[in-house]
Amino acid sequence: MDGRDLIISCAITGAIHTPSMSPFLPVTAEEIADSALRVHLHARNPEDGRPDQSPEAFEPILRRIKQESDVVINLTTGGSPYMTMEARVKPAAIFKPEIASLNMGSMNLGLFRMLKRHTEFKYDWEPAMLEGSHDLVFRNSYKDIRYALDTLNETGTRYEFECYDTAHLHNLNYFFQEGLVTAPLFIQTCFGLLGGIGVHPEEVQHMRRTADRLFGDAYHWSVLGAGRSQMAIAAQSAALGGHIRVGLEDNLWAGKGRLAESNASQVRQAVQVIHGLGREVATPDEARAILALKGSAKVNF
């Protein structure tokens, strides 16, 4: 399926963790840009750290990263589960990145368990968002997914397909069979969020086997593990020839009771694992070749 070169995706800040959970979570445009490799990019309001999917929030981040590096920028269409699909897709539609994330199915998304670990918050919106997830469905209907594909396919943007359960792989296969997405597919199988599949090694293998059966050699496999399972699942994927995602969006911790001080520290840890398994980290241009991306000259920023 995949060769010796392994793509590391780094999810810089996301929309799940809140500023009070870690002083190291990037919030301002400068902090987010400073954290940037092959990045999976969200934006935040610099005043209160709230997720912000406006094009105006993304523009300074995108321009600075492009000026200072040649990384592949993966622009989220996930945004926040409290946003409409139209709002979530708008930045990618405007900036036409090389790759954008795309969630492949609706799911219950239970973030409320974090209220047991974190009890003091800087902003009122933080506990309200977490508590509200008792009644939260992260909507990604067939209509929503079709809207994202119809909007972004004409820009030449390709996709990181985020799959939180086996049903999401079957949803992706539907769009693949309809010809709305094309190989090579980049499939990010996601483990450990309440509402999605768990983190047991057998569950990781089950997602891999299902993707193999559905897509054969038409895809590249990557994993993200939420929380403390991050590196264990990354190591499993690396050992099996897959790719990995790390970053503070998925995990704030560097070990038991110890906050990760940067996205870069997680990347360095992942590189040690990769080299220990006899694999090499793909350069940005190697990642572009693996995923058949259009190149940084064809983005709109």
Side-chain angles (χ1 to χ4, degrees), residues 38-42 53 72-79 88-104 148-149 151-153 155-162 181 186-188 245 291 293-294 299:
R38 187 177 91 78
V39 295
H40 171 99
L41 202 59
H42 289 246
Q53 196 69 5
V72 177
I73 295 175
N74 175 350
L75 194 55
T76 183
T77 68
R88 289 159 49 189
V89 169
K90 189 174 182 180
I94 291 173
F95 295 117
K96 302 177 174 58
E98 295 182 73
I99 190 168
S101 68
L102 184 57
N103 294 73
M104 291 312 298
L149 294 173
T151 302
L152 298 179
N153 278 352
T155 71
T157 294
R158 294 188 64 80
Y159 305 96
E160 172 210 8
F161 296 105
E162 296 197 354
V181 299
F186 185 46
I187 300 179
Q188 189 74 258
R245 171 172 138 174
L291 302 179
L293 304 182
K294 63 184 179 180
V299 300

Side-chain angles (χ1 to χ4, degrees), residues 15-19 44 48-51 123-130:
I16 291 176
H17 295 122
T18 69
R44 289 182 180 258
D48 63 4
R50 191 188 304 261
Y123 307 106
D124 290 343
W125 71 265
E126 299 175 84
M129 182 196 75
L130 299 174

Side-chain angles (χ1 to χ4, degrees), residues 35 60 88 101 187 225 234 239 243 252-253 269 284 299:
S35 294
R88 289 159 49 189
S101 68
I187 300 179
H243 306 287
L252 294 176
W253 304 93
Q269 187 177 0
V299 300

Side-chain angles (χ1 to χ4, degrees), residues 6-12 31-41 61 65-66 68-75 98-99 244-248 262-271 274 281-285 287-288 293:
L6 182 152
I7 297 170
I8 298 179
S9 302
C10 187
I12 300 297
E31 289 169 345
I32 294 169
D34 282 344
S35 294
L37 291 134
R38 187 177 91 78
V39 295
H40 171 99
L41 202 59
I61 302 170
I65 294 173
K66 188 178 180 185
E68 297 187 12
S69 74
D70 190 36
V71 297
V72 177
I73 295 175
N74 175 350
L75 194 55
E98 295 182 73
I99 190 168
I244 65 176
R245 171 172 138 174
V246 296
L248 296 180
S262 67
N263 283 283
S265 68
Q266 292 187 353
V267 173
R268 286 193 293 268
Q269 187 177 0
V271 170
I274 291 162
V281 178
T283 67
D285 283 341
R288 291 181 173 99
L293 304 182

Side-chain angles (χ1 to χ4, degrees), residues 7 18 44 105 107-108 114 125 128 156 168 178 180 194 209-210 216 226 228 235 240 263 279 298-299:
I7 297 170
T18 69
R44 289 182 180 258
M107 60 184 290
N108 294 330
M114 288 188 276
W125 71 265
H168 295 182
E178 289 292 304
L180 290 169
L194 185 61
R209 288 191 296 265
T210 303
R228 62 185 180 183
L240 293 170
N263 283 283
R279 298 189 64 189
K298 295 183 180 179
V299 300

Side-chain angles (χ1 to χ4, degrees), residues 56-269:
E56 294 78 14
F58 279 95
E59 185 171 17
I61 302 170
L62 294 170
R63 294 195 183 283
R64 182 172 165 208
I65 294 173
K66 188 178 180 185
Q67 287 170 359
E68 297 187 12
S69 74
D70 190 36
V71 297
V72 177
I73 295 175
N74 175 350
L75 194 55
T76 183
T77 68
S80 163
Y82 294 95
M83 300 172 181
T84 66
M85 178 58 83
E86 289 78 7
R88 289 159 49 189
V89 169
K90 189 174 182 180
I94 291 173
F95 295 117
K96 302 177 174 58
E98 295 182 73
I99 190 168
S101 68
L102 184 57
N103 294 73
M104 291 312 298
S106 300
M107 60 184 290
N108 294 330
L109 187 57
L111 308 177
F112 48 82
R113 291 190 298 183
M114 288 188 276
L115 287 166
K116 292 184 177 180
R117 181 182 297 124
H118 305 280
T119 58
E120 296 182 5
F121 296 93
K122 299 177 184 177
Y123 307 106
D124 290 343
W125 71 265
E126 299 175 84
M129 182 196 75
L130 299 174
E131 182 62 38
S133 69
H134 277 100
D135 192 32
L136 175 63
V137 175
F138 186 16
R139 175 187 162 126
N140 294 282
S141 68
Y142 294 107
K143 181 180 178 181
D144 292 333
I145 296 168
R146 179 66 184 262
Y147 172 82
L149 294 173
D150 286 344
T151 302
L152 298 179
N153 278 352
E154 64 184 33
T155 71
T157 294
R158 294 188 64 80
Y159 305 96
E160 172 210 8
F161 296 105
E162 296 197 354
C163 297
Y164 290 81
D165 216 330
T166 50
H168 295 182
L169 293 170
H170 286 277
N171 291 346
L172 175 56
N173 190 47
Y174 162 75
F175 288 103
F176 184 49
Q177 296 301 325
E178 289 292 304
L180 290 169
V181 299
T182 59
L185 306 172
F186 185 46
I187 300 179
Q188 189 74 258
T189 48
C190 310
F191 304 91
L193 283 172
L194 185 61
I197 199 166
V199 299
H200 192 279
E202 284 297 325
E203 293 174 292
V204 178
Q205 290 279 17
H206 177 57
M207 290 288 276
R208 168 72 181 269
R209 288 191 296 265
T210 303
D212 281 349
R213 186 176 70 252
L214 292 175
F215 305 107
D217 61 0
Y219 85 107
H220 297 290
W221 179 52
S222 183
V223 301
L224 75 85
R228 62 185 180 183
S229 66
Q230 184 182 69
M231 287 300 166
I233 289 177
Q236 189 174 354
S237 176
L240 293 170
H243 306 287
I244 65 176
R245 171 172 138 174
V246 296
L248 296 180
E249 173 175 350
D250 305 327
N251 175 35
L252 294 176
W253 304 93
K256 187 175 181 179
R258 197 160 45 90
L259 288 168
E261 295 187 2
S262 67
N263 283 283
S265 68
Q266 292 187 353
V267 173
R268 286 193 293 268
Q269 187 177 0

